[in-house]
Amino acid sequence: MQVNVALIRMVFPDRDAVAGLRDALQQAHSQGAQLAVLPEIPLNVWAPASKVRQDDEAEPPAGPRHRVMSEAARDVGIALIGGAIIRHPKTGRCHNTALAFDSSGELIGSYRKLHLPEEEGFWETSHYEPGDEPPSVIHGLPLPVGIQICSDVNRPEGSHVLAALGAELIVCPRATEAATFARWKTVLTANAITSCTYVVSVPRPQPEFGVPLGGPSFAVSPTGEVLAEGTESMMLVTVDRTLLEAVRRRYPGYLPVRADLYAKAWTSATSDGT
């Protein structure tokens, strides 16, 4: 009833660094991890530092970055959540996409980032479009997992939907400025408590192209207890599934979701929230 999750605060944006991914996964596996989580688009440089799109930043489905992550997960025998900028082969549309691989290296789920910032250092809409599918739970990992990428956590509806659909762990790869971590910690903790799920988040580790990226990896239980917070390249946290069962029987876990009522309210709101 326990699952060990490795938070790997490292990126692997060039061919020489890719070997480090396998080494990091091997280290996580040797420490008992069954699932490893990487930062946002971990095999890319932080392209949104500029509005200029690079030819090689995106790839087709099952492209080279996908294959590197798949092969590393398979060779080590560990489940992995990574990501890439995926370009649709027919439409050419690009999305910031989280990719979930099981321990055999098979892609068993994906998720497209929904909420894209567009400001200094984070010119994301210049590189990819917002996702067009609601969050869903990924099965086939050591436990049911939902994914929200970075800015998505600032819309808590996503975490609440994932919990209602059965997610026990919500994973948030991110690329955030180190100085803003206190606010992210508040949001991630609130999402864990109000959705009654474990929440883990792994950032890109250091400044890139003048953007002051960084901050700690973070993990919080559904009670709000901080399980991990630090800038180590790797941290291991344990998800206790029996605690989830207990928390969901207590307040606020037992409160009804009232999905039909909220759905009715949302249909009367415009897409921009005004």
Side-chain angles (χ1 to χ4, degrees):
M1 296 297 289
Q2 293 187 331
V3 176
N4 294 323
V5 181
L7 312 181
I8 300 179
R9 188 177 172 273
M10 304 169 67
V11 291
F12 309 92
D14 57 57
R15 186 169 299 177
D16 292 337
V18 163
L21 172 60
R22 186 175 281 100
D23 293 342
L25 294 183
Q26 186 62 60
Q27 180 185 348
H29 186 262
S30 69
Q31 294 179 10
Q34 296 132 289
L35 171 65
V37 179
L38 300 178
E40 185 172 358
I41 49 173
L43 272 64
N44 288 74
V45 298
W46 185 241
S50 164
K51 290 185 177 183
V52 179
R53 183 181 294 189
Q54 303 299 318
D55 292 340
D56 62 348
E57 67 183 42
E59 62 180 66
R65 296 177 181 89
H66 172 123
R67 293 195 298 272
V68 164
M69 290 180 282
S70 171
E71 292 166 6
R74 180 198 65 204
D75 292 348
V76 173
I78 189 172
L80 174 65
I81 295 177
I85 302 173
I86 304 299
R87 182 178 57 251
H88 193 282
K90 292 184 178 179
T91 66
R93 296 172 63 192
C94 295
H95 294 91
N96 181 334
T97 307
L99 303 172
F101 302 91
D102 67 13
S103 58
S104 71
E106 180 181 354
L107 180 70
I108 57 171
S110 63
Y111 168 79
R112 294 170 171 174
K113 186 175 184 178
L114 297 180
H115 300 285
L116 306 184
E118 184 71 1
E119 59 181 77
E120 191 66 41
F122 300 90
W123 303 113
E124 298 190 39
T125 64
S126 300
H127 295 265
Y128 34 80
E129 300 180 30
D132 48 12
E133 294 290 338
S136 61
V137 176
I138 297 172
H139 298 279
L141 296 171
L143 76 172
V145 171
I147 302 175
Q148 295 186 285
I149 301 176
C150 201
S151 294
D152 293 341
V153 301
N154 290 290
R155 293 292 181 259
E157 298 87 349
S159 62
H160 296 166
V161 165
L162 288 169
L165 293 172
E168 298 180 6
L169 171 68
I170 296 175
V171 169
C172 175
R174 69 183 207 273
T176 54
E177 295 185 2
T180 64
F181 174 69
R183 193 184 71 79
W184 290 93
K185 179 178 179 178
T186 299
V187 171
L188 293 165
T189 301
N191 286 356
I193 294 171
T194 57
S195 65
C196 295
T197 60
Y198 284 85
V199 174
V200 301
S201 182
V202 186
R204 295 182 72 92
Q206 60 193 16
E208 298 179 55
F209 307 114
V211 184
L213 301 175
S217 293
F218 185 68
V220 59
S221 83
T223 66
E225 177 188 3
V226 174
L227 304 177
E229 181 181 336
T231 56
E232 294 92 328
S233 60
M234 183 177 302
M235 304 181 77
L236 198 68
V237 297
T238 299
V239 172
D240 183 351
R241 301 178 75 181
T242 59
L243 175 63
L244 279 167
E245 296 174 2
V247 167
R248 291 177 177 182
R249 289 194 296 267
R250 302 196 303 258
Y251 184 88
Y254 66 77
L255 296 175
V257 174
R258 305 297 302 274
D260 53 346
L261 184 68
Y262 287 108
K264 183 179 179 180
W266 276 113
T267 60
S268 65
T270 61
S271 61
D272 64 0
T274 59

